[in-house]
Amino acid sequence: MSTISDNSKDTAIEPTTVSSLWKSLMELNRQVKQMIQLMSIESGISYSSVCLIFKLEHVPSLKMNDIAGFLSITVGAATSLVDKLESQGWIERIRSVEDRRIINVRLTEQGIRQLTEIREQFTARGEHIFTAIPQEQLAAMEKELGKINSIMNHYNQI
């Protein structure tokens, strides 16, 4: 048996349960990625572009190294991605005042509009998918997925 510790207690978890959870999470990740890829095709932009603009929705700006790390791509690939989104008017490069060598990337007004359109597509698909699940169960799932996300985020920071 493996032991997973939170701050309050240790809980024994059966290896088959852990294996089953990993399998479910990996399959869910695959399905979400496939949905984002389909939406990106409809929007005429790449999967990485959709992921980047979703990320930029929650942070004021990102450095090129941060973009590369977030998307698990090279800095060169991140630069190419930013070039494409900049040529479409969705993002802009801002040179750091403190260090002129650092270039930050942020959404433009047009990028925010595009993000809103993509978010609406995402919401419509989500409503279609989640209508089969009672509201109370959705709320409980959201809470538990939030816990898993928080624990994994902490684990990945170590």
Side-chain angles (χ1 to χ4, degrees):
M1 292 184 146
S2 57
T3 302
I4 296 179
S5 175
D6 66 11
N7 291 334
S8 60
K9 61 184 174 184
D10 287 344
T11 309
I13 300 176
E14 293 291 328
T16 54
T17 301
V18 172
S19 177
S20 179
L21 285 169
W22 275 122
K23 182 178 178 185
S24 294
L25 287 170
M26 289 169 54
E27 178 59 19
L28 182 60
N29 180 56
R30 188 188 70 74
Q31 293 288 347
V32 169
K33 184 174 181 178
Q34 184 176 3
M35 180 176 284
I36 293 171
Q37 287 174 327
L38 289 172
M39 288 175 26
S40 69
I41 290 168
E42 292 170 5
S43 300
I45 62 171
S46 70
Y47 170 80
S48 294
S49 296
V50 172
C51 291
L52 176 57
I53 65 170
F54 278 1
K55 178 70 172 177
L56 287 169
E57 175 184 29
H58 300 288
V59 296
S61 65
L62 288 171
K63 294 182 280 188
M64 210 59 73
N65 286 342
D66 296 332
I67 293 169
F70 171 69
L71 296 173
S72 299
I73 59 178
T74 65
V75 174
T79 300
S80 178
L81 175 65
V82 167
D83 288 345
K84 289 175 188 168
L85 289 172
E86 187 176 41
S87 71
Q88 292 174 304
W90 291 23
I91 61 174
E92 62 185 347
R93 287 178 165 99
I94 307 295
R95 197 167 288 280
S96 170
V97 175
E98 296 84 30
D99 185 343
R100 305 275 303 151
R101 296 171 293 173
I102 297 175
I103 297 176
N104 293 296
V105 174
R106 69 178 179 198
L107 286 172
T108 62
E109 289 299 318
Q110 182 178 353
I112 293 169
R113 285 191 299 276
Q114 292 299 127
L115 171 66
T116 300
E117 287 180 25
I118 294 170
R119 174 81 54 221
E120 288 170 1
Q121 292 175 14
F122 219 69
T123 300
R125 288 178 194 232
E127 287 172 354
H128 178 74
I129 292 166
F130 297 129
T131 54
I133 302 170
Q135 184 65 39
E136 310 81 49
Q137 287 181 349
L138 289 173
M141 284 175 25
E142 181 181 14
K143 182 179 178 182
E144 296 307 314
L145 287 171
K147 287 179 189 176
I148 292 169
N149 187 45
S150 178
I151 292 165
M152 290 182 80
N153 186 47
H154 175 73
Y155 182 84
N156 287 331
Q157 299 304 314
I158 297 173

